Structures are given as structure tokens and as C-alpha cells.
């Protein structure tokens, strides 16, 4: 299924997944815009604490739904509290910094938000079970998130008028949601799987409600690429090291349909670098991408236009120096797909 809002036409582009280390919004914005010429992004800084983490930031975007931290994690509440105010404050700080470092910028710009299924799998209802256990609560979360994201995208465009905004929905829990692997709040059992058609329809309605191309990022195995395509995504972002040959057909059909592939190939921590051989050579880090492209039988000259390069996941666990290096390596690797597609 083609998407109403196609992915921007970029060549030799790299981007970050979303999170960066540290707590300094200006430093993070400087890194995310300085290292990435074609697709800079609005950074997330989870080290600041609850409300800056992926789930807390997502909860802060919800409209007329509020969440707070409890000893067990995030839980819905009757009214906005300290955690909601912190989430709003930090997001405002991040937008201020992004605005400062994108003066006069014209081009694609990526923002990230946690998707509806990962939110529902992560936040508890007031009585204590995960929202995922209640179909009505899942619908409420998706609807509230759609409205919050509409407002968020409008605010980003107001601050960066030259931006062609791309929205990335982070759905690391989606494969577990579909497979019935999400644990109950007690941790002793698992919640029943969500029907694939229900999951697809919720994503489709959310994507249709937004006036921007939507990429879904999932750094877990078994990314449901056909489901995401049918839901109308413009791109799929995944950890290339987790792909198996079984995904070849799904990836090939996605590329043929015009879906952008954001290939996570640059290790996201120094520890992962020590276990990897291709890091000193940016071109080497995308050798697996070239191999897959040949296997799928696509024209080499299309590679740098249809595949973007990213780290394997967020960079929150890296040192600031390595985070800058990883984004720079991604940018050089992306250019190598254009210069040396074979």
C-alpha cells in the first residue's frame, strides 16, 4: 500500500535513531544537526530522568490522558502531575535548542515519538494492569496520541519553518505485542496477543491522522514489515544485525513499493564496537546492506536513494564522544552507498 505522505527524496542520507547521552539539550541539538546534513533529528535525552525517557516523553504528548511514575513504572493518573510537567518542560527545552541550531534550515527533519502499541504495553491502568490488556484503553491511547502528535508536528513546523518533517514512531514492543510475549504487570504471566488486523488498523488510523510521512522504528527481531506497509508507513527503521534471510522477501517487496529502509548498521555503544570489525571503515559497516541489495536484485544506483544509514539503536548508552563519532560514521557510510554501491 502506498503512503499518502511519501518519504523525502534523499540521496546518501544518514540519521540518528533518537536518543543521545547526557543532559544538555543545546549540546545534543548541536550534535544532531551538525553531524547530519540530509536528515538531522530532534534528540531525546533520557539521562535527565522520568519524563525524558521514551515512555515518559510519549506520555507527555498524550492529550487528556496523564501518567505518572510509580515504583512499578508508568501508570495513568486522573490529572497532570510533576512527571507530566517535567516531560513538557524538557520537550520545550529540546525544541528551543533545535530551533537555535536550525536557523535558516531548509530540508528534511526527523522527530521521534513512542508508538501506540509500545505505550499501551508499557503504561499501567489505574487498577494496575497494562493498558494493553484493555482494548478500549488501547484505542484511547492511540486516539490521544494522534491528537498530541498533530500538535507536536505543528509546533516543530512553527519553530523550523523550512523543515519537511518526518515522524518516527518507536515500536520496540510491537513484535512482542503481536506474539503474546508482553508480561502482565505482576510479571508472572503474559498478556494475550493482539490480533494483527487490530494492530494494523490502529497504526493506519494514527498515520492517516497526521500530515507527515511516518517511519516505524523497531530494534527487536521479527519486525512485521508487511503489516507496517499495509498500515501506510513511508519507511521502516530496523537493526540490520537482527535480520534473517526470512526477511528478504518482505524487504524486497517494501523497496519495490517505495518504502524507505533505514538500516541500523553502526554499533550504538563502544562495547558493541569492540565486538564488531567494520567500524574503522564506514564503507565496511554497510557491506551487509550491499550484499542484501545484490541478493534482492535491485539496481545498484538505487541503493543510496532507497536506503538510509543509522546506528543500530539509540545512543543514550554511549559516551558523548562516541555518539558524535557514530553519527559521523553513519553519514560517511551513507555516502559510500552512493559512491560505491557495489
Amino acid at each position: 500500500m502506498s503512503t499518502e505522505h511519501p518519504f523525502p527524496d534523499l540521496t546518501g542520507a544518514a540519521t540518528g535513531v533518537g536518543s543521545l547521552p547526557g543532559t544538555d539539550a543545546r549540546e545534543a541539538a548541536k550534535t544532531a544537526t551538525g553531524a547530519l546534513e540530509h536528515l538531522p533529528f530532534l534528540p531525546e535525552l533520557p539521562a535527565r530522568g522520568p519524563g525524558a525517557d521514551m515512555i515518559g516523553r510519549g506520555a507527555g504528548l498524550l492529550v487528556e490522558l496523564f501518567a505518572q511514575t510509580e515504583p512499578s513504572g508508568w501508570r495513568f493518573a486522573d490529572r497532570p502531575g510533576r512527571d507530566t510537567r517535567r516531560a513538557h518542560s524538557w520537550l520545550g527545552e529540546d525544541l528551543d535548542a533545535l530551533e537555535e541550531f536550525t536557523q535558516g534550515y531548509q530540508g528534511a527533519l526527523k522527530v521521534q515519538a513512542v508508538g501506540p502499541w509500545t505505550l499501551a504495553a508499557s503504561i499501567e491502568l489505574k487498577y494496575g494492569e497494562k493498558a494493553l490488556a484493555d482494548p478500549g484503553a488501547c484505542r484511547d491511547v492511540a486516539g490521544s496520541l494522534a491528537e498530541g502528535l498533530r500538535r507536536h508536528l505543528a509546533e516543530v513546523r512553527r519553530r523550523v519553518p523550512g523543515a519537511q518533517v518526518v515522524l518516527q514512531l518507536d515500536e520496540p514492543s510491537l513484535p512482542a505485542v503481536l506474539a503474546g510475549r508482553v508480561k502482565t504487570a505482576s510479571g508472572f504471566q503474559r498478556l494475550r496477543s493482539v490480533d494483527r488486523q487490530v494492530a494494523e488498523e490502529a497504526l493506519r488510523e494514527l498515520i492517516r491522522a497526521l500530515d507527515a510521512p511516518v517511519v516505524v522504528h523497531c530494534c527487536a527481531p521479527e519486525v512485521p514489515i508487511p503489516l507496517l506497509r499495509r498500515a501506510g508507513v513511508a519507511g521502516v527503521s530496523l537493526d540490520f544485525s537482527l535480520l534473517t534471510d526470512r526477511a528478504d522477501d518482505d524487504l524486497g517487496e517494501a523497496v519495490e513499493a517505495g518504502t524507505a529502509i533505514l538500516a541500523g548498521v553502526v554499533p550504538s555503544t563502544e562495547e558493541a564496537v569492540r565486538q564488531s570489525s567494520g567500524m574503522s571503515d564506514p564503507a565496511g559497516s554497510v557491506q551487509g546492506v550491499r550484499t542484501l541489495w545484490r541478493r534482492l536484485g535491485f539496481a545498484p544506483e538505487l541503493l543510496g536513494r532507497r536506503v538510509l544509514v543509522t546506528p543500530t539503536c539509540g545512543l543514550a548508552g554511549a559516551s558523548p564522544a562516541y555518539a558524535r563519532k557514530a553519527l559521523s560514521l553513519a553519514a560517511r557510510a551513507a555516502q559510500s552507498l552512493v559512491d560505491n554501491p557495489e
Side-chain angles (χ1 to χ4, degrees):
M1 175 181 290
S2 65
T3 175
E4 201 175 320
H5 300 286
F7 198 86
D9 188 10
L10 302 172
T11 300
T15 191
V17 171
S19 65
L20 288 176
T23 59
D24 185 332
R26 290 186 74 254
E27 189 60 35
K30 184 179 177 183
T31 296
T33 56
L36 302 163
E37 180 185 351
H38 301 295
L39 190 56
F41 65 100
L42 173 66
E44 301 168 358
L45 298 174
R48 291 182 294 200
D53 61 301
M54 183 175 74
I55 301 304
R57 194 174 179 94
L61 288 169
L62 297 175
V63 174
E64 294 179 6
L65 286 178
F66 313 105
Q68 61 192 28
T69 49
E70 302 283 346
S72 59
W74 285 94
R75 182 176 289 187
F76 283 113
D78 290 323
R79 59 186 65 84
R82 182 185 61 185
D83 294 323
T84 300
R85 288 192 294 273
R86 273 202 300 214
H88 290 169
S89 171
W90 277 324
L91 180 57
E93 212 176 280
D94 295 338
L95 288 168
D96 287 345
L98 182 73
E99 185 177 359
E100 178 184 346
F101 286 98
T102 51
Q103 293 293 314
Y105 176 73
Q106 301 274 333
L109 172 71
K110 183 169 72 72
V111 299
Q112 308 79 224
V114 66
W117 291 110
T118 297
L119 266 185
S122 305
I123 305 181
E124 297 174 1
L125 299 169
K126 289 168 206 166
Y127 63 80
E129 193 46 88
K130 302 270 181 72
L132 187 64
D134 182 333
C138 291
R139 286 191 294 273
D140 289 346
V141 167
S144 173
L145 181 62
E147 180 55 34
L149 287 172
R150 272 199 297 266
R151 298 180 186 185
H152 181 45
L153 293 174
E155 177 66 7
V156 172
R157 290 189 181 106
R158 185 183 70 77
R159 288 169 174 266
V160 192
Q164 186 180 0
V165 183
V166 175
L167 172 68
Q168 174 185 304
L169 289 177
D170 292 316
E171 283 284 17
S173 299
L174 182 58
V177 165
L178 298 172
R181 294 196 301 262
V182 177
K183 290 185 177 180
T184 57
S186 69
F188 296 123
Q189 294 174 291
R190 296 177 193 276
L191 296 172
R192 66 172 57 184
S193 61
V194 169
D195 181 88
R196 296 179 86 85
Q197 281 187 302
V198 171
E200 180 186 318
E201 185 57 32
L203 286 168
R204 183 183 300 115
E205 286 186 17
L206 176 57
I207 290 168
R208 280 182 179 164
L210 302 171
D211 60 344
V214 174
V215 171
V216 168
H217 169 71
C218 182
C219 52
E222 299 168 33
V223 179
I225 297 170
L227 182 156
L228 297 175
R229 277 186 48 229
R230 290 192 301 270
V233 301
V236 178
S237 170
L238 27 73
D239 180 341
F240 239 62
S241 69
L242 300 177
L243 288 179
T244 65
D245 291 349
R246 288 199 308 256
D248 278 12
D249 288 347
D250 293 344
L251 279 168
E253 288 169 10
V255 171
E256 280 183 346
T259 307
I261 306 298
L262 284 72
V265 295
V266 176
S268 54
T269 63
E270 291 96 328
E271 180 58 37
V273 174
R274 286 191 279 273
Q275 300 163 13
S276 161
S277 57
M279 274 308 290
S280 57
D281 169 24
S285 66
V286 283
Q287 196 51 50
V289 177
R290 291 190 185 90
T291 302
L292 173 67
W293 202 254
R294 279 198 300 272
R295 203 161 67 225
L296 295 175
F298 292 120
E301 60 270 18
L302 278 179
L303 178 56
R305 290 180 54 197
R306 307 302 288 280
V307 176
L308 291 81
V309 177
T310 75
T312 53
C313 208
L315 296 168
S319 69
Y322 178 72
R324 289 191 292 272
K325 181 181 176 184
L327 294 179
S328 169
L329 282 165
R332 284 156 55 199
Q335 188 58 43
S336 83
L337 291 181
V338 178
D339 297 339
N340 305 297
E342 299 182 85

